Amino acid sequence: MSFWEDFWDIFWWLFCVYVFLAFLWALFAVIGDLFRDDKLSGWWKAVWILVLAFLPFLGLLVYVIARGKGMTERSMERARTNREASDTYIRGIATASPSEEISKATALRDSGTISADEFERIKSKALA
């Protein structure tokens, strides 16, 4: 009988693969959190790494129970900081300074592309 002939063997194999991948994801998330935490000393980081190396399931469970709330808070703070930096960068790239907008409008007015009324409207919008 082949492995692929029994549905429950396939189901069990897929379940074991899923559990293993979930364990690896959690392990890497914990290790990443360990090294991003500025408040934890290097010695405690080393102790946690040793515990995770020799007792991986138990160490992962204890870490999530003991430091899970802080892990979430650090993750949320990091996401907020990244979002603010991204928003600042986008605002800096997307909008020109008022003096740049007025100088562009002046060049358009001088070339005859826009009228004096349009120039005044752009100028007042840039200064607002």
Side-chain angles (χ1 to χ4, degrees), residues 85-110:
S86 175
D87 290 347
T88 302
Y89 174 74
I90 290 170
R91 276 191 217 102
I93 296 299
T95 60
S97 69
S99 61
E100 289 175 354
E101 289 185 33
I102 292 172
S103 65
K104 288 177 186 177
T106 303
L108 290 173
R109 182 192 62 191
D110 293 343

PDB file of all heavy atoms in Angstrom, residues 85-110:
ATOM      1  N   ALA A  85       7.518  56.866   9.925  1.00  0.00           N
ATOM      2  CA  ALA A  85       8.648  57.154   9.039  1.00  0.00           C
ATOM      3  C   ALA A  85       8.219  57.089   7.583  1.00  0.00           C
ATOM      4  O   ALA A  85       8.616  57.931   6.766  1.00  0.00           O
ATOM      5  CB  ALA A  85       9.790  56.177   9.311  1.00  0.00           C
ATOM      6  N   SER A  86       7.422  56.109   7.250  1.00  0.00           N
ATOM      7  CA  SER A  86       6.922  55.971   5.882  1.00  0.00           C
ATOM      8  C   SER A  86       6.030  57.150   5.501  1.00  0.00           C
ATOM      9  O   SER A  86       6.165  57.709   4.413  1.00  0.00           O
ATOM     10  CB  SER A  86       6.147  54.655   5.746  1.00  0.00           C
ATOM     11  OG  SER A  86       5.567  54.560   4.483  1.00  0.00           O
ATOM     12  N   ASP A  87       5.128  57.536   6.404  1.00  0.00           N
ATOM     13  CA  ASP A  87       4.250  58.678   6.132  1.00  0.00           C
ATOM     14  C   ASP A  87       5.044  59.969   5.963  1.00  0.00           C
ATOM     15  O   ASP A  87       4.752  60.777   5.079  1.00  0.00           O
ATOM     16  CB  ASP A  87       3.224  58.842   7.251  1.00  0.00           C
ATOM     17  CG  ASP A  87       2.183  57.737   7.268  1.00  0.00           C
ATOM     18  OD1 ASP A  87       2.100  56.983   6.266  1.00  0.00           O
ATOM     19  OD2 ASP A  87       1.461  57.617   8.272  1.00  0.00           O
ATOM     20  N   THR A  88       6.050  60.176   6.789  1.00  0.00           N
ATOM     21  CA  THR A  88       6.893  61.364   6.682  1.00  0.00           C
ATOM     22  C   THR A  88       7.630  61.381   5.349  1.00  0.00           C
ATOM     23  O   THR A  88       7.702  62.419   4.678  1.00  0.00           O
ATOM     24  CB  THR A  88       7.900  61.411   7.848  1.00  0.00           C
ATOM     25  OG1 THR A  88       7.188  61.396   9.077  1.00  0.00           O
ATOM     26  CG2 THR A  88       8.781  62.639   7.771  1.00  0.00           C
ATOM     27  N   TYR A  89       8.152  60.244   4.956  1.00  0.00           N
ATOM     28  CA  TYR A  89       8.865  60.150   3.680  1.00  0.00           C
ATOM     29  C   TYR A  89       7.924  60.434   2.509  1.00  0.00           C
ATOM     30  O   TYR A  89       8.264  61.201   1.603  1.00  0.00           O
ATOM     31  CB  TYR A  89       9.490  58.762   3.529  1.00  0.00           C
ATOM     32  CG  TYR A  89      10.109  58.535   2.177  1.00  0.00           C
ATOM     33  CD1 TYR A  89      11.317  59.132   1.843  1.00  0.00           C
ATOM     34  CD2 TYR A  89       9.475  57.749   1.224  1.00  0.00           C
ATOM     35  CE1 TYR A  89      11.886  58.943   0.605  1.00  0.00           C
ATOM     36  CE2 TYR A  89      10.032  57.558  -0.019  1.00  0.00           C
ATOM     37  CZ  TYR A  89      11.238  58.150  -0.329  1.00  0.00           C
ATOM     38  OH  TYR A  89      11.792  57.967  -1.561  1.00  0.00           O
ATOM     39  N   ILE A  90       6.730  59.851   2.541  1.00  0.00           N
ATOM     40  CA  ILE A  90       5.772  60.052   1.453  1.00  0.00           C
ATOM     41  C   ILE A  90       5.346  61.512   1.385  1.00  0.00           C
ATOM     42  O   ILE A  90       5.257  62.088   0.294  1.00  0.00           O
ATOM     43  CB  ILE A  90       4.563  59.119   1.619  1.00  0.00           C
ATOM     44  CG1 ILE A  90       4.991  57.675   1.355  1.00  0.00           C
ATOM     45  CG2 ILE A  90       3.422  59.510   0.687  1.00  0.00           C
ATOM     46  CD1 ILE A  90       3.950  56.644   1.716  1.00  0.00           C
ATOM     47  N   ARG A  91       5.081  62.138   2.525  1.00  0.00           N
ATOM     48  CA  ARG A  91       4.704  63.554   2.529  1.00  0.00           C
ATOM     49  C   ARG A  91       5.831  64.416   1.971  1.00  0.00           C
ATOM     50  O   ARG A  91       5.586  65.381   1.251  1.00  0.00           O
ATOM     51  CB  ARG A  91       4.357  64.005   3.943  1.00  0.00           C
ATOM     52  CG  ARG A  91       2.951  63.701   4.318  1.00  0.00           C
ATOM     53  CD  ARG A  91       2.568  64.399   5.632  1.00  0.00           C
ATOM     54  NE  ARG A  91       1.699  63.506   6.373  1.00  0.00           N
ATOM     55  CZ  ARG A  91       2.051  62.756   7.387  1.00  0.00           C
ATOM     56  NH1 ARG A  91       3.273  62.802   7.857  1.00  0.00           N
ATOM     57  NH2 ARG A  91       1.191  61.952   7.977  1.00  0.00           N
ATOM     58  N   GLY A  92       7.052  64.080   2.320  1.00  0.00           N
ATOM     59  CA  GLY A  92       8.196  64.854   1.828  1.00  0.00           C
ATOM     60  C   GLY A  92       8.385  64.724   0.332  1.00  0.00           C
ATOM     61  O   GLY A  92       8.783  65.675  -0.341  1.00  0.00           O
ATOM     62  N   ILE A  93       8.092  63.562  -0.214  1.00  0.00           N
ATOM     63  CA  ILE A  93       8.256  63.337  -1.649  1.00  0.00           C
ATOM     64  C   ILE A  93       7.052  63.856  -2.432  1.00  0.00           C
ATOM     65  O   ILE A  93       7.198  64.442  -3.491  1.00  0.00           O
ATOM     66  CB  ILE A  93       8.456  61.826  -1.929  1.00  0.00           C
ATOM     67  CG1 ILE A  93       9.744  61.326  -1.289  1.00  0.00           C
ATOM     68  CG2 ILE A  93       8.445  61.530  -3.400  1.00  0.00           C
ATOM     69  CD1 ILE A  93      10.989  61.998  -1.808  1.00  0.00           C
ATOM     70  N   ALA A  94       5.857  63.647  -1.894  1.00  0.00           N
ATOM     71  CA  ALA A  94       4.636  63.941  -2.643  1.00  0.00           C
ATOM     72  C   ALA A  94       4.335  65.435  -2.729  1.00  0.00           C
ATOM     73  O   ALA A  94       3.799  65.895  -3.729  1.00  0.00           O
ATOM     74  CB  ALA A  94       3.448  63.216  -2.018  1.00  0.00           C
ATOM     75  N   THR A  95       4.637  66.187  -1.712  1.00  0.00           N
ATOM     76  CA  THR A  95       4.286  67.605  -1.737  1.00  0.00           C
ATOM     77  C   THR A  95       5.528  68.457  -1.858  1.00  0.00           C
ATOM     78  O   THR A  95       6.556  68.192  -1.252  1.00  0.00           O
ATOM     79  CB  THR A  95       3.541  68.004  -0.445  1.00  0.00           C
ATOM     80  OG1 THR A  95       4.383  67.754   0.666  1.00  0.00           O
ATOM     81  CG2 THR A  95       2.245  67.244  -0.301  1.00  0.00           C
ATOM     82  N   ALA A  96       5.397  69.493  -2.660  1.00  0.00           N
ATOM     83  CA  ALA A  96       6.486  70.441  -2.804  1.00  0.00           C
ATOM     84  C   ALA A  96       6.320  71.533  -1.757  1.00  0.00           C
ATOM     85  O   ALA A  96       5.232  71.759  -1.231  1.00  0.00           O
ATOM     86  CB  ALA A  96       6.469  71.037  -4.205  1.00  0.00           C
ATOM     87  N   SER A  97       7.389  72.233  -1.470  1.00  0.00           N
ATOM     88  CA  SER A  97       7.303  73.339  -0.523  1.00  0.00           C
ATOM     89  C   SER A  97       6.523  74.483  -1.167  1.00  0.00           C
ATOM     90  O   SER A  97       6.442  74.573  -2.399  1.00  0.00           O
ATOM     91  CB  SER A  97       8.698  73.790  -0.114  1.00  0.00           C
ATOM     92  OG  SER A  97       9.340  74.400  -1.220  1.00  0.00           O
ATOM     93  N   PRO A  98       5.949  75.370  -0.376  1.00  0.00           N
ATOM     94  CA  PRO A  98       5.186  76.488  -0.942  1.00  0.00           C
ATOM     95  C   PRO A  98       6.005  77.342  -1.908  1.00  0.00           C
ATOM     96  O   PRO A  98       5.497  77.772  -2.944  1.00  0.00           O
ATOM     97  CB  PRO A  98       4.774  77.297   0.289  1.00  0.00           C
ATOM     98  CG  PRO A  98       4.755  76.314   1.399  1.00  0.00           C
ATOM     99  CD  PRO A  98       5.830  75.333   1.072  1.00  0.00           C
ATOM    100  N   SER A  99       7.271  77.572  -1.584  1.00  0.00           N
ATOM    101  CA  SER A  99       8.095  78.389  -2.485  1.00  0.00           C
ATOM    102  C   SER A  99       8.302  77.693  -3.829  1.00  0.00           C
ATOM    103  O   SER A  99       8.318  78.352  -4.879  1.00  0.00           O
ATOM    104  CB  SER A  99       9.433  78.712  -1.840  1.00  0.00           C
ATOM    105  OG  SER A  99      10.143  77.524  -1.560  1.00  0.00           O
ATOM    106  N   GLU A 100       8.442  76.366  -3.831  1.00  0.00           N
ATOM    107  CA  GLU A 100       8.589  75.633  -5.092  1.00  0.00           C
ATOM    108  C   GLU A 100       7.314  75.717  -5.919  1.00  0.00           C
ATOM    109  O   GLU A 100       7.373  75.890  -7.130  1.00  0.00           O
ATOM    110  CB  GLU A 100       8.942  74.168  -4.805  1.00  0.00           C
ATOM    111  CG  GLU A 100      10.333  73.948  -4.271  1.00  0.00           C
ATOM    112  CD  GLU A 100      10.583  72.497  -3.896  1.00  0.00           C
ATOM    113  OE1 GLU A 100       9.641  71.680  -3.947  1.00  0.00           O
ATOM    114  OE2 GLU A 100      11.729  72.183  -3.538  1.00  0.00           O
ATOM    115  N   GLU A 101       6.156  75.584  -5.257  1.00  0.00           N
ATOM    116  CA  GLU A 101       4.889  75.663  -5.979  1.00  0.00           C
ATOM    117  C   GLU A 101       4.685  77.051  -6.572  1.00  0.00           C
ATOM    118  O   GLU A 101       4.229  77.190  -7.709  1.00  0.00           O
ATOM    119  CB  GLU A 101       3.722  75.308  -5.047  1.00  0.00           C
ATOM    120  CG  GLU A 101       3.681  73.840  -4.690  1.00  0.00           C
ATOM    121  CD  GLU A 101       2.455  73.490  -3.864  1.00  0.00           C
ATOM    122  OE1 GLU A 101       1.390  74.114  -4.062  1.00  0.00           O
ATOM    123  OE2 GLU A 101       2.572  72.592  -3.028  1.00  0.00           O
ATOM    124  N   ILE A 102       5.030  78.088  -5.822  1.00  0.00           N
ATOM    125  CA  ILE A 102       4.867  79.452  -6.326  1.00  0.00           C
ATOM    126  C   ILE A 102       5.817  79.710  -7.486  1.00  0.00           C
ATOM    127  O   ILE A 102       5.443  80.337  -8.490  1.00  0.00           O
ATOM    128  CB  ILE A 102       5.068  80.474  -5.186  1.00  0.00           C
ATOM    129  CG1 ILE A 102       3.928  80.351  -4.177  1.00  0.00           C
ATOM    130  CG2 ILE A 102       5.146  81.900  -5.734  1.00  0.00           C
ATOM    131  CD1 ILE A 102       4.119  81.161  -2.919  1.00  0.00           C
ATOM    132  N   SER A 103       7.060  79.213  -7.394  1.00  0.00           N
ATOM    133  CA  SER A 103       8.010  79.423  -8.492  1.00  0.00           C
ATOM    134  C   SER A 103       7.573  78.674  -9.753  1.00  0.00           C
ATOM    135  O   SER A 103       7.717  79.193 -10.870  1.00  0.00           O
ATOM    136  CB  SER A 103       9.422  79.021  -8.079  1.00  0.00           C
ATOM    137  OG  SER A 103       9.487  77.628  -7.837  1.00  0.00           O
ATOM    138  N   LYS A 104       7.008  77.490  -9.590  1.00  0.00           N
ATOM    139  CA  LYS A 104       6.485  76.758 -10.747  1.00  0.00           C
ATOM    140  C   LYS A 104       5.307  77.503 -11.355  1.00  0.00           C
ATOM    141  O   LYS A 104       5.191  77.611 -12.587  1.00  0.00           O
ATOM    142  CB  LYS A 104       6.045  75.347 -10.352  1.00  0.00           C
ATOM    143  CG  LYS A 104       7.184  74.410 -10.060  1.00  0.00           C
ATOM    144  CD  LYS A 104       6.654  73.051  -9.615  1.00  0.00           C
ATOM    145  CE  LYS A 104       7.757  72.130  -9.174  1.00  0.00           C
ATOM    146  NZ  LYS A 104       7.228  70.853  -8.680  1.00  0.00           N
ATOM    147  N   ALA A 105       4.433  78.027 -10.489  1.00  0.00           N
ATOM    148  CA  ALA A 105       3.279  78.775 -10.988  1.00  0.00           C
ATOM    149  C   ALA A 105       3.727  80.058 -11.676  1.00  0.00           C
ATOM    150  O   ALA A 105       3.147  80.468 -12.702  1.00  0.00           O
ATOM    151  CB  ALA A 105       2.328  79.086  -9.840  1.00  0.00           C
ATOM    152  N   THR A 106       4.768  80.708 -11.160  1.00  0.00           N
ATOM    153  CA  THR A 106       5.305  81.918 -11.794  1.00  0.00           C
ATOM    154  C   THR A 106       5.833  81.595 -13.187  1.00  0.00           C
ATOM    155  O   THR A 106       5.590  82.342 -14.146  1.00  0.00           O
ATOM    156  CB  THR A 106       6.427  82.522 -10.925  1.00  0.00           C
ATOM    157  OG1 THR A 106       5.916  82.782  -9.630  1.00  0.00           O
ATOM    158  CG2 THR A 106       6.962  83.803 -11.536  1.00  0.00           C
ATOM    159  N   ALA A 107       6.549  80.489 -13.309  1.00  0.00           N
ATOM    160  CA  ALA A 107       7.074  80.093 -14.620  1.00  0.00           C
ATOM    161  C   ALA A 107       5.930  79.798 -15.588  1.00  0.00           C
ATOM    162  O   ALA A 107       5.996  80.170 -16.769  1.00  0.00           O
ATOM    163  CB  ALA A 107       7.978  78.870 -14.471  1.00  0.00           C
ATOM    164  N   LEU A 108       4.877  79.146 -15.096  1.00  0.00           N
ATOM    165  CA  LEU A 108       3.719  78.871 -15.959  1.00  0.00           C
ATOM    166  C   LEU A 108       3.015  80.166 -16.358  1.00  0.00           C
ATOM    167  O   LEU A 108       2.574  80.321 -17.499  1.00  0.00           O
ATOM    168  CB  LEU A 108       2.749  77.924 -15.253  1.00  0.00           C
ATOM    169  CG  LEU A 108       3.208  76.478 -15.071  1.00  0.00           C
ATOM    170  CD1 LEU A 108       2.217  75.710 -14.202  1.00  0.00           C
ATOM    171  CD2 LEU A 108       3.371  75.796 -16.421  1.00  0.00           C
ATOM    172  N   ARG A 109       2.897  81.099 -15.424  1.00  0.00           N
ATOM    173  CA  ARG A 109       2.260  82.383 -15.743  1.00  0.00           C
ATOM    174  C   ARG A 109       3.094  83.166 -16.754  1.00  0.00           C
ATOM    175  O   ARG A 109       2.568  83.723 -17.715  1.00  0.00           O
ATOM    176  CB  ARG A 109       2.070  83.211 -14.478  1.00  0.00           C
ATOM    177  CG  ARG A 109       1.358  84.548 -14.741  1.00  0.00           C
ATOM    178  CD  ARG A 109       1.442  85.459 -13.578  1.00  0.00           C
ATOM    179  NE  ARG A 109       2.876  85.754 -13.344  1.00  0.00           N
ATOM    180  CZ  ARG A 109       3.343  86.350 -12.274  1.00  0.00           C
ATOM    181  NH1 ARG A 109       2.533  86.705 -11.309  1.00  0.00           N
ATOM    182  NH2 ARG A 109       4.630  86.580 -12.125  1.00  0.00           N
ATOM    183  N   ASP A 110       4.408  83.169 -16.563  1.00  0.00           N
ATOM    184  CA  ASP A 110       5.288  83.908 -17.472  1.00  0.00           C
ATOM    185  C   ASP A 110       5.292  83.316 -18.871  1.00  0.00           C
ATOM    186  O   ASP A 110       5.451  84.036 -19.858  1.00  0.00           O
ATOM    187  CB  ASP A 110       6.705  83.959 -16.920  1.00  0.00           C
ATOM    188  CG  ASP A 110       6.811  84.798 -15.655  1.00  0.00           C
ATOM    189  OD1 ASP A 110       5.873  85.586 -15.389  1.00  0.00           O
ATOM    190  OD2 ASP A 110       7.818  84.643 -14.927  1.00  0.00           O
TER     191      ASP A 110
END
